[in-house]
Every structure is written in structure tokens, then in C-alpha cells.
Amino acid sequence: MVEIVGVHKMFGDLHVLKGVDLEVPRGSVCVVLGPSGSGKSTLLRCINELEDLTAGRIYVDGDLIGYREVEKNGTKRLHRLHPKVIAEQRSRIGMVFQRFNLFPHMTALQNVMEAPVQVRGLSRAKAKERAEELLARVGLADRMDHYPAQLSGGQQQRVAIARALAMDPELMLFDEPTSALDPELVGEVLAVMRDLAESGMTMIVVTHEIGFAREVGDHVVFMDDGAIVEQGDPREVLTNPREERTREFLAHVL
Ligand code: ADP
Ligand code: MG
């Protein structure tokens, strides 16, 4: 479903991604671990076209993300896609951030309805029906008319997940979705993510929740200093890491 090939990203002189290769099969959950500053968020942002690549390619469901390949006189070149096409590609990828980023002046229901109505042109009635369904699915059937300020952090994050799902994404990216939550609220968000994984969604999840990685992850990736240092089966990598840097990191978060 996702194929990342030789991806480099530089911010000026700062080399943040140093040749990342990764494959995420359809319907699987890939958990990305690694210390702060190792490039995890940048990698997700590249997949979602919030950053352009310095080198390399990313394919989602077979489509080259952000570019089209043009052959001229036997040489292949990449042309940046039109912003409209990029927006269309991006709308098929759901992203959930550490901060919930809900619209504060809209209720939970209105937050979830917004993009399908504005971007997809869905009728308000259809969007409402679907939003109600999604909010029920994340356990918020009784909170639909609440504003973000009237919801706990865990509830807000579940609205954010419902909002991403409202666009019927084929891929969901999570960037430390529980890091800003009080500890007692982490479980309810992880439960929704686990449910989503069990429904067959393809997911890439940046998190420090090792229990989630072990129980829900099909594949775990450990990043350090802009590169993938180690990857494999979570039970394998988390219990028996081969690399010293992975071992050190796990000793800190476990
Ligand atoms: P992580 O998510 O693993 O903590 P990030 O991907 O956020 O790491 O950051 C990796 C490195 O890239 C850090 O050194 C960070 O300061 C730098 N960085 C991230 N975004 C930008 C940006 N827009 N401009 C300059 N440097 C950036
Ligand atoms: Mg980050």
C-alpha cells in the first residue's frame, strides 16, 4: 500500500531523512519508534505531501505521490503535480496529530461533517448521517453536539480520528496521537486505533506506546538520526533488538 524508496529530506543544510526505504502492506499496521528529532514526523509529513522530498519516491496504492514521471529523450524526469491533484491525493490519506486541531467554534458533529461537505461536495444530510455513524464508532454517540472545549483530550482526539475517517482514507497516519493526553485518557484512544486496525485499515503510527506496538503492530520500525536503524516483527524487535541504539531507546521508554 505504501512504498517509500530512498527518501531524503533536507531543511537547508540540515539532513533530516537520510535514505529511508519502507514498505507497508495493505491492511497492516506499521509502528514507528525513535527518539525525538530522529525524523519520524518529517517522514509522515512527506507521505502526506506536507513536505516535498529532496530525493526519493513515495508511492501510495501504486500512485507516485506529488509528482508524475515524464520521459523526454530517453531520460525520466519528475514533474510536480498540479496543487489540485496533490490535494486530491492528500484527501485519501487521513492524518491525526498530537494536538487535536479541531475547529473550536464547531461541535463534534460539525467538525466531522466539514471536509466531506466542503471538499467532496457531499450533501449535508449524507455527511451528517455518516458523521453520526463515525462518532458512534469512536464511542461519542452522546457527545456529538459538544464543542471541543467541552470535551476531554481523549474525546477530542477520538473526534479527530472520526474526522479523518470521514474522508474514507485508504491510509491513516498517526503522529504521537496520545502524547499530549493525561495518562488515564490514553487507553480510550488506543482502543479506537486498535479497533480501526482490526477493521483492516492500513496504518502508520508514530508512538512511544510499546504495548500498542507489540499487540497491534504488524511491523515495527526504529528510527534514529534520519535513518531506519532496525525493523521487523514487533515481538522480535521489541524483545530482542539487534542494534545497540534500539536497545538503549527501549530501555528508556519501557
Ligand atoms: P521527530 O518527529 O522524530 O521528533 P522531526 O521529524 O520532527 O523528528 O524532526 C527531525 C529534525 O528535523 C529535527 O532536527 C527538527 O528540528 C528538524 N525539522 C523538522 N521540521 C523542520 C522544518 N520545517 N525546518 C527546519 N528543520 C526542521
Ligand atoms: Mg515528531
Side-chain angles (χ1 to χ4, degrees):
M1 177 55 127
V2 184
E3 198 183 348
I4 298 173
V5 190
V7 163
H8 288 258
K9 176 65 187 174
M10 306 199 59
F11 291 109
D13 288 338
L14 190 63
H15 203 163
V16 171
L17 295 177
K18 303 175 179 173
V20 173
D21 297 291
L22 180 64
E23 274 181 39
V24 182
R26 185 183 300 278
S28 74
V29 177
C30 176
V31 175
V32 181
L33 307 173
S36 178
S38 56
K40 306 179 300 295
S41 294
T42 303
L43 182 63
L44 290 191
R45 292 172 59 81
C46 287
I47 298 169
N48 203 19
E49 298 171 72
L50 296 170
E51 305 284 357
D52 51 358
L53 307 181
T54 306
R57 290 167 191 220
I58 297 177
Y59 298 88
V60 173
D61 200 18
D63 285 342
L64 183 59
I65 285 291
Y67 299 88
R68 93 193 130 85
E69 201 171 52
V70 184
E71 198 166 334
K72 224 183 199 173
N73 310 327
T75 48
K76 287 179 178 169
R77 283 169 189 276
L78 294 183
H79 283 245
R80 191 84 178 136
L81 289 171
H82 190 276
K84 262 194 182 159
V85 184
I86 291 182
E88 206 283 315
Q89 284 185 334
R90 188 181 291 145
S91 80
R92 290 186 283 139
I93 302 173
M95 183 140 180
V96 176
F97 302 89
Q98 184 173 339
R99 294 272 157 208
F100 331 118
N101 304 321
L102 297 175
F103 303 116
H105 60 290
M106 292 184 184
T107 64
L109 189 70
Q110 290 164 341
N111 264 282
V112 178
M113 288 172 60
E114 183 67 8
V117 170
Q118 298 301 332
V119 181
R120 289 274 162 81
L122 214 66
S123 74
R124 295 198 71 82
K126 276 238 170 68
K128 180 163 184 277
E129 193 179 320
R130 176 91 173 110
E132 286 171 349
E133 214 177 272
L134 286 167
L135 283 167
R137 181 170 170 193
V138 300
L140 294 173
D142 56 348
R143 293 287 186 279
M144 301 203 200
D145 297 323
H146 287 55
Y147 288 88
Q150 301 170 314
L151 298 170
S152 73
Q155 291 169 337
Q156 289 183 53
Q157 193 60 304
R158 286 186 280 147
V159 175
I161 294 171
R163 186 176 60 173
L165 292 175
M167 292 295 277
D168 292 317
E170 49 191 2
L171 168 68
M172 285 285 287
L173 309 175
F174 292 86
D175 194 356
E176 301 201 33
T178 60
S179 296
L181 297 177
D182 291 333
E184 72 271 21
L185 304 177
V186 167
E188 65 191 58
V189 173
L190 293 179
V192 165
M193 291 167 61
R194 174 194 293 260
D195 176 62
L196 190 58
E198 281 166 4
S199 79
M201 178 64 76
T202 311
M203 296 165 51
I204 303 180
V205 183
V206 175
T207 184
H208 297 304
E209 296 290 334
I210 301 299
F212 180 86
R214 196 189 309 271
E215 288 157 32
V216 183
D218 296 296
H219 192 75
V220 67
V221 167
F222 176 68
M223 281 185 74
D224 194 17
D225 196 23
I228 293 177
V229 171
E230 181 164 2
Q231 58 176 309
D233 186 292
R235 282 141 293 260
E236 190 90 15
V237 173
L238 297 171
T239 34
N240 218 347
R242 267 172 291 158
E243 300 293 329
E244 183 56 34
R245 280 190 282 178
T246 316
R247 243 174 269 149
E248 262 171 39
F249 175 79
L250 289 174
H252 280 293
V253 293
L254 283 176

